[in-house]
Amino acid sequence: MSDEKEVHLPQSKMGLGSDHSDMIVFLIRFFRLSGVVFLAWLIGYFNFSYSWVLVCIFLYLLRERNSSARKTKAEVIKALGINERDAVLARLDEVPAWIYFPDKERVEWLNKIIKIIWPNLTVYMSTTLVNVIEPIINQYSTSYIGKVKFKKIDLGDIPPRITSIKVYTENVPAGEVLFDCEIMYAGDANILLSASKFQAGVKDIQFHGNLRVILKPLCNRIPFFAAATAFFLNKPQMDFNLTNIANAFDLPGLRNLINNIIEDSVAKTLVLPNRLVIPIIPDIKLDELDNMKKVRPKGVLRINVIKGLNLKKADMGVFGAGKSDPYVSITGLGLPKRTKTISDSTDPIWNETFDFMLEDDLIQTPDILIQCFDSDEMNDDFLGSVEINVENIISKGIEEGIYKLKGVSKGELILRIEWFTVSTESEKLNEILRKKTLNQQQASCLLLVDLKSASNLPMMVDKSGASEPNPRAIFTLNDVNQESTIMERTTHPKWNQNFCFFVENPQSQFLMCKINDEKSKKTIANLEISLKDLLIEDSLQLNRVFDLRTLINDYNPKLSLNLRLYILCAGFRPEPEKVLIEKSPSLDRSSSGFSKENVFLTQSEFGKIRISMEYIMDESVFRLTVIECQNLCQVHHSNLPDPYVKIILEPEKKSKKKSRAIKDVLNPVFNDIFQWNINYGELKRRQIFVTVKNDKPMLTSEKTFMGELWIDLTNLKPNVLIDKWYDLRSEKDAKFSFNYCD
């Protein structure tokens, strides 16, 4: 007989296998249902609305559904850990990466070794949880909860699995070994945490992520490499079940919040650009370790999510399918990023730009996954996805077009993706800043901050006396904040963390840094650095110990930083391409969804419109004047049209304005003035939707549409009057053609 355990994959709800256990399950379910019935009776007794009964039942059933789904998923992954072969044969949709990617290898011999040494590894990992993870959890703890400690750590009998390994042999720098590990864990761990107010437990932990490991430098001593560097290319997926009092918070909304906090704490230490460096040979020099932790940029990938087209209607309306509240999430390079949510739209306009830094350590750059979701209170609905091959973008320099969403029946995204190389030649900055761009707010530089350490921080004094602070460093640039980890009770913290900022104009911007004490929530020291100082440094790098400002004169606190500035230079650029439009449903598309056929927007046949606009900063007023139109299209043969203009400051439908109608004319003159009271920052995120229509008499069959256009306000400058002619287009062509107000 085989020594392997027999695997039973869950096809229905699984019992516990004994009469006593079944009775316990029966009693638990009895008391749960009794509680629901009692709650319903209580609501009726106090004459509350019946809708509260429906809400309580809905939340209970939703919790049961989510718990059942997580339990089934955990049991399937656990079955893979016990006997992968039988589990794969029984369920083909839960397979490791080596089945799909031939260049990834199975390492069953390594998993067998891990299983043998697992009891010893649990001791080491328990110590790591206490020394490393516990301080991270306490960073998010509140004064009400108090300090959190691990009271019980039982990692169970099921070890994690390394489902595949890929070793890179090409384009790898000399003197190092680089490989990726796909790690999957779904064990029987049971962890209990205690705080001053309560105890909470975590069990059925699930974990899945791709870990990159770099062994360098190679040497002639066993084990032949001096240190190991590890980091996750993307934020790993985590799930778990809560026990004790924490089970009361196991509702979808709150549970997702707890899950995101835990994932973010992991991301701050192990997801790019952060990394863990483990010295293997004891006498390795400290400066070599610091050098391994340094981020070395290869370039920057800029993704402009312009708009969505004909997205799926995910929300339910009163009379059938309603619209959606779509947003876009981008994953694949470090921490995920997402657009704002556009309410009630299947053709949303985002026009948001995201920058991603690529490192030299990324020998093979992963594909970027762009997903579209419908935002809901409980679970967001999937509206489709697009995969972008980064290597292809790097070779082309720029790609702009329509991408068909996969995994759904309809829907498309209009994207613009650019590649920028990095340079340390300061003279290139003036050239870049002089160039006129479509969006003046886009970054021109990349700033890398290597936070090393601080010294001589002030002691904190309160009623109980003087004590050492719990310092955390917070960096701010252009309203973007990034925080370090918290160091416990020290006036000489050593962080060794990396931060990445995108800079619009280093000639006029400042990097702000403050050191906060997390116990008192007070700022104990601060620092302001002009980025202009880096432009005169060799290689645009500043490695210095800065004097910190503090209110206490008895201390002389200092902060050790390494600042590196890189100029973003446009990569290879082919001849400019126009946005492609779809010729027919059978239009040939590549695997990424990008249109291959060159079907370009044609010259407008709907005439043109003259519009002037100005933002008055002192009054916070946006003023727009519809001046005139020329060569409007004839919508019928018997009479001339009576055109009027409708203006909407998207996405607010309530902002609609309408001009007067001019009788029997194709070249109307309006000179109608409209204005909106709106914040300047908010206005720059808006678009103007202009429609020219025929004011037809009632009970006639005349056509009304005479052309439309979109105007993007991203680079609208305050107190500058813009007077410009714009081409009117058809409804279909206008969706793919953006006009800019400059």
Side-chain angles (χ1 to χ4, degrees):
M1 294 179 63
S2 174
D3 293 335
E4 294 182 341
K5 298 181 181 179
E6 185 179 359
V7 176
H8 299 282
L9 291 178
Q11 297 177 355
S12 62
K13 189 160 184 177
M14 298 176 64
L16 299 179
S18 69
D19 294 338
H20 295 292
S21 298
D22 291 341
M23 181 57 68
I24 293 173
V25 172
F26 172 78
L27 290 175
I28 291 174
R29 188 164 182 80
F30 169 77
F31 285 115
R32 283 183 178 176
L33 293 176
S34 298
V36 174
V37 174
F38 175 73
L39 185 60
W41 175 83
L42 202 62
I43 290 172
Y45 180 79
F46 288 103
N47 295 320
F48 287 109
S49 171
Y50 178 71
S51 59
W52 286 104
V53 178
L54 298 179
V55 169
C56 293
I57 294 176
F58 175 77
L59 290 175
Y60 173 76
L61 293 177
L62 185 64
R63 182 181 181 279
E64 288 288 305
R65 174 181 174 271
N66 291 345
S67 294
S68 177
R70 288 196 303 270
K71 182 178 179 182
T72 301
K73 180 181 177 182
E75 288 170 347
V76 169
I77 300 177
K78 189 180 295 184
L80 285 171
I82 297 173
N83 191 329
E84 186 180 55
R85 179 180 178 277
D86 290 346
V88 169
L89 292 176
R91 188 180 179 94
L92 292 179
D93 61 335
E94 299 283 353
V95 293
W98 59 267
I99 291 182
Y100 295 118
F101 307 102
D103 56 347
K104 294 188 176 182
E105 304 176 28
R106 297 185 64 185
V107 283
E108 284 305 306
W109 61 271
L110 182 56
N111 288 319
K112 292 177 180 177
I113 294 175
I114 293 175
K115 187 174 182 179
I116 295 172
I117 65 174
W118 179 241
N120 306 88
L121 280 176
T122 56
V123 176
Y124 173 78
M125 294 178 66
S126 298
T127 305
T128 304
L129 286 174
V130 173
N131 297 334
V132 178
I133 305 300
E134 187 176 290
I136 295 175
I137 294 176
N138 280 306
Q139 293 179 23
Y140 296 93
S141 178
T142 64
S143 58
Y144 175 78
I145 296 175
K147 189 172 183 180
V148 178
K149 293 184 178 181
F150 284 99
K151 186 175 182 180
K152 173 186 175 183
I153 300 176
D154 179 11
L155 298 180
D157 300 322
I158 301 176
R161 285 185 56 81
I162 299 178
T163 57
S164 65
I165 282 184
K166 177 178 180 179
V167 181
Y168 293 90
T169 57
E170 298 180 357
N171 302 321
V172 179
E176 65 182 62
V177 176
L178 187 148
F179 58 90
D180 291 341
C181 299
E182 183 186 12
I183 302 174
M184 183 181 295
Y185 175 70
D188 51 349
N190 191 354
I191 299 174
L192 184 63
L193 298 95
S194 65
S196 59
K197 304 295 182 181
F198 59 85
Q199 292 185 355
V202 178
K203 67 175 184 178
D204 299 331
I205 301 172
Q206 301 171 47
F207 181 92
H208 182 245
N210 290 302
L211 184 71
R212 174 154 294 182
V213 180
I214 304 174
L215 308 178
K216 68 174 185 180
L218 301 183
C219 60
N220 297 325
R221 296 165 54 184
I222 295 176
F224 306 112
F225 56 90
T229 304
F231 54 86
F232 287 100
L233 299 175
N234 300 304
K235 187 164 70 171
Q237 299 176 0
M238 298 181 65
D239 201 359
F240 50 86
N241 288 324
L242 301 172
T243 62
N244 296 338
I245 194 171
N247 194 37
F249 298 96
D250 201 3
L251 292 175
L254 291 174
R255 193 179 195 288
N256 290 339
L257 177 63
I258 296 172
N259 197 29
N260 289 337
I261 289 176
I262 295 177
E263 287 184 353
D264 289 343
S265 65
V266 174
K268 282 189 175 182
T269 54
L270 280 174
V271 178
L272 284 177
N274 301 301
R275 59 195 67 204
L276 177 66
V277 178
I278 305 172
I280 304 299
I281 296 179
D283 55 354
I284 185 173
K285 296 180 181 179
L286 291 178
D287 57 344
E288 292 183 11
L289 282 177
D290 292 340
N291 190 49
M292 293 178 190
K293 294 181 180 180
K294 272 189 179 180
V295 177
R296 295 175 177 80
K298 177 180 180 181
V300 171
L301 193 73
R302 177 168 295 160
I303 301 178
N304 181 213
V305 182
I306 300 175
K307 68 182 298 185
L309 301 172
N310 196 26
L311 300 181
K312 186 177 75 171
K313 297 177 180 179
D315 293 335
M316 295 301 296
V318 178
F319 302 102
K323 293 188 177 181
S324 296
D325 304 321
Y327 69 89
V328 171
S329 172
I330 305 176
T331 58
L333 294 172
L335 298 178
K337 298 183 180 181
R338 59 167 287 177
T339 66
K340 60 185 176 183
T341 299
I342 306 296
S343 301
D344 297 326
S345 177
T346 55
D347 296 294
I349 299 175
W350 293 287
N351 200 25
E352 294 187 45
T353 301
F354 302 95
D355 291 328
F356 295 87
M357 179 189 65
L358 272 67
E359 298 189 42
D360 270 341
D361 288 340
L362 299 177
I363 304 301
Q364 180 177 341
T365 307
D367 290 343
I368 290 180
L369 180 63
I370 301 177
Q371 296 175 291
C372 190
F373 293 95
D374 168 52
S375 179
D376 286 327
E377 292 295 332
M378 297 301 180
N379 293 312
D380 295 345
D381 297 318
F382 179 70
L383 299 181
S385 64
V386 173
E387 286 190 9
I388 304 297
N389 186 292
V390 177
E391 296 294 342
N392 186 39
I393 302 296
I394 293 175
S395 62
K396 295 169 62 176
I398 184 172
E399 183 172 279
E400 180 178 7
I402 309 166
Y403 296 78
K404 183 173 177 60
L405 291 168
K406 295 181 179 180
V408 289
S409 58
K410 63 177 183 178
E412 295 171 315
L413 291 178
I414 298 181
L415 306 172
R416 176 184 175 89
I417 309 172
E418 300 176 81
W419 170 249
F420 294 86
T421 58
V422 293
S423 172
T424 55
E425 300 175 14
S426 58
E427 58 270 13
K428 290 185 177 181
L429 177 63
N430 293 329
E431 178 185 350
I432 292 172
L433 294 178
R434 279 197 304 267
K435 289 183 179 179
K436 184 179 179 180
T437 61
L438 294 179
N439 187 347
Q440 298 293 338
Q441 289 187 322
Q442 290 180 347
S444 63
C445 299
L446 171 71
L447 175 66
L448 297 180
V449 180
D450 300 329
L451 172 62
K452 297 180 180 179
S453 62
S455 60
N456 299 322
L457 294 180
M459 298 285 286
M460 301 305 299
V461 181
D462 53 22
K463 294 180 180 180
S464 60
S467 62
E468 292 181 315
N470 292 345
R472 179 208 293 268
I474 303 175
F475 293 95
T476 304
L477 178 64
N478 198 26
D479 297 328
V480 176
N481 295 328
Q482 295 193 43
E483 300 178 349
S484 73
T485 56
I486 300 173
M487 308 304 291
E488 294 285 337
R489 297 194 186 95
T490 178
T491 57
H492 295 74
K494 294 182 180 180
W495 285 287
N496 289 320
Q497 285 186 259
N498 302 311
F499 303 94
C500 172
F501 292 93
F502 291 97
V503 183
E504 295 175 17
N505 186 352
Q507 295 177 348
S508 59
Q509 289 185 276
F510 292 83
L511 176 68
M512 314 295 293
C513 175
K514 60 181 181 179
I515 311 295
N516 283 0
D517 172 46
E518 285 304 306
K519 288 189 298 184
S520 62
K521 305 299 180 183
K522 294 181 180 179
T523 299
I524 57 179
N526 59 73
L527 173 68
E528 181 180 283
I529 303 173
S530 173
L531 300 185
K532 191 175 182 179
D533 295 341
L534 274 77
L535 298 176
I536 61 176
E537 297 290 334
D538 293 337
S539 301
L540 306 183
Q541 179 171 328
L542 186 61
N543 192 1
R544 183 183 299 175
V545 177
F546 295 88
D547 291 324
L548 292 170
R549 294 193 298 265
T550 181
L551 297 176
I552 305 175
N553 296 327
D554 296 338
Y555 296 89
N556 184 25
K558 297 182 181 297
L559 184 68
S560 177
L561 295 175
N562 182 19
L563 305 177
R564 291 174 289 155
L565 191 69
Y566 296 89
I567 314 297
L568 302 186
C569 305
F572 169 76
R573 293 289 192 268
E575 291 297 322
E577 295 184 5
K578 298 181 180 179
V579 177
L580 303 178
I581 65 172
E582 186 176 6
K583 185 177 77 171
S584 68
S586 60
L587 183 65
D588 182 29
R589 295 179 183 272
S590 67
S591 59
S592 67
F594 180 72
S595 304
K596 288 183 177 180
E597 188 167 341
N598 292 333
V599 185
F600 298 117
L601 298 173
T602 58
Q603 182 67 28
S604 171
E605 299 177 358
F606 290 84
K608 55 185 179 179
I609 184 171
R610 182 183 172 194
I611 296 175
S612 71
M613 63 187 79
E614 180 183 13
Y615 184 80
I616 305 172
M617 182 66 78
D618 293 339
E619 302 176 11
S620 296
V621 168
F622 174 59
R623 184 170 296 155
L624 182 145
T625 303
V626 179
I627 302 175
E628 60 180 316
C629 295
Q630 286 188 1
N631 302 322
L632 295 180
C633 62
Q634 177 63 281
V635 292
H636 56 87
H637 300 290
S638 57
N639 298 307
L640 290 175
D642 304 334
Y644 70 91
V645 180
K646 184 172 68 173
I647 309 288
I648 301 177
L649 194 58
E650 291 284 352
E652 294 290 338
K653 302 298 182 185
K654 296 180 181 179
S655 65
K656 180 171 65 175
K657 308 283 186 180
K658 179 181 176 181
S659 76
R660 58 197 171 93
I662 308 295
K663 298 287 186 179
D664 300 325
V665 66
L666 292 176
N667 298 289
V669 177
F670 299 97
N671 287 321
D672 287 350
I673 300 174
F674 309 100
Q675 67 181 30
W676 293 264
N677 293 315
I678 185 173
N679 179 271
Y680 178 64
E682 175 64 23
L683 180 66
K684 289 170 68 68
R685 294 191 289 269
R686 300 288 190 92
Q687 297 83 31
I688 299 174
F689 179 51
V690 181
T691 308
V692 180
K693 290 192 173 183
N694 172 32
D695 189 21
K696 70 173 185 176
M698 294 183 63
L699 305 178
T700 64
S701 59
E702 296 179 11
K703 294 181 179 180
T704 61
F705 181 80
M706 300 181 68
E708 65 183 33
L709 64 97
W710 292 86
I711 303 176
D712 187 271
L713 300 176
T714 302
N715 61 327
L716 178 69
K717 297 180 179 179
N719 303 320
V720 176
L721 179 65
I722 298 172
D723 189 331
K724 188 175 179 180
W725 286 94
Y726 297 92
D727 287 333
L728 294 166
R729 300 189 181 275
S730 67
E731 291 182 85
K732 184 175 181 180
D733 287 356
K735 292 181 180 180
F736 305 100
S737 178
F738 266 82
N739 299 279
Y740 293 88
C741 58
D742 58 344

